[in-house]
Amino acid sequence: MPEPTEIERIKIHQQKIRQVFAEVGKIVVGQEYMLNRLLIGLFTNGHILLEGVPGLAKTLTVNTLAKVLHLDFQRIQFTPDLLPADLVGTMIYNQKLGNFEVKKGPIFTNLVLADEVNRSPAKVQSALLEAMQEKQVTIGDTTYYLDKPFLVLATQNPVEQEGTYPLPEAQVDRFMMKVFVSYLDKTSELEVMRRMSNMSFNSEVNIVLDKADIFAIRDEINRVSISETLEKYIIELVFATRMPLDYGLREEAAYIQFGVSPRASINLNLAAKATAYFNERDYVLPEDIKEVAHDVLNHRLILNYEAEADGITSSQIVDVILKKVAIGR
């Protein structure tokens, strides 16, 4: 058989992505939005921060996704007594050989679920930050590169705040997206109850993609085109958070302490390309940018105490920005 053309390969990969949703859906009910964001992060090399109350299948979704993609997976429960060595590894003494050997930690995997990441102290968060940003860790005097692909999926519990160490803004900014995971609707919860109450429920899934497919999809997303008009639109959205008065956002300006960082424009571009690719297009539409804007911008927009006192959220500010900032401004 002749080799498939580039267009045929893209169609095959896009069909496989739909199969990924179907396979994960065999186990996880009603979390297609979260799965979509996880795949955007994976295919654009960006880390994802998940926030939601316990029991919303965050761990189950990531674990199932790792099986469907045939990737190594590690779940790390972050606690106040966790040490950096528990994350990255340490040097241990071998009595038989009389020397020190490296024992690598659970960070050496493809998908890392950092569960309740805000419960660990600053030193552990700093070790995770190096791994996220540099794709490497240091043990002793030696630097070790992490496996590819490498993706950190961190969770936060918004309910219990006792004994937590809030993530510094610099570390939160390293996450491509912050995704708020909400409760299921009644129909989905009914299906979850039925599945989990069935002792003979089959939790097996099929492998759909492998590492070679993931890297190929990354290249294909990178070739999705975005017009100069839409590139400038992304820049205008970003600058509206920094200089809101220039965009007629007088009320919102009173609540913004700091606008979003340059990572916002980079990640908004990448996420929009991935969204277009998932929708089987090789070009970006304004709707692709708007669809991912909240998840990319929310956690980077720092509001002041007046906003907290008046009950104003960053999501509300982003809503106004999307309405006020025109394309081709």
Side-chain angles (χ1 to χ4, degrees), residues 236-262:
E236 296 294 343
L237 292 175
V238 167
F239 270 73
T241 69
R242 301 174 189 169
M243 297 180 291
L245 291 176
D246 293 351
Y247 294 80
L249 304 170
R250 191 168 301 277
E251 292 182 15
E252 290 70 30
Y255 297 123
I256 298 175
Q257 185 174 3
F258 294 107
V260 301
S261 73

Side-chain angles (χ1 to χ4, degrees), residues 4 77 82 94 101 121 139 168 178 257 325:
Q77 182 64 52
L82 197 70
N94 188 320
E101 296 179 345
I139 304 174
K178 181 178 180 180
Q257 185 174 3
V325 177

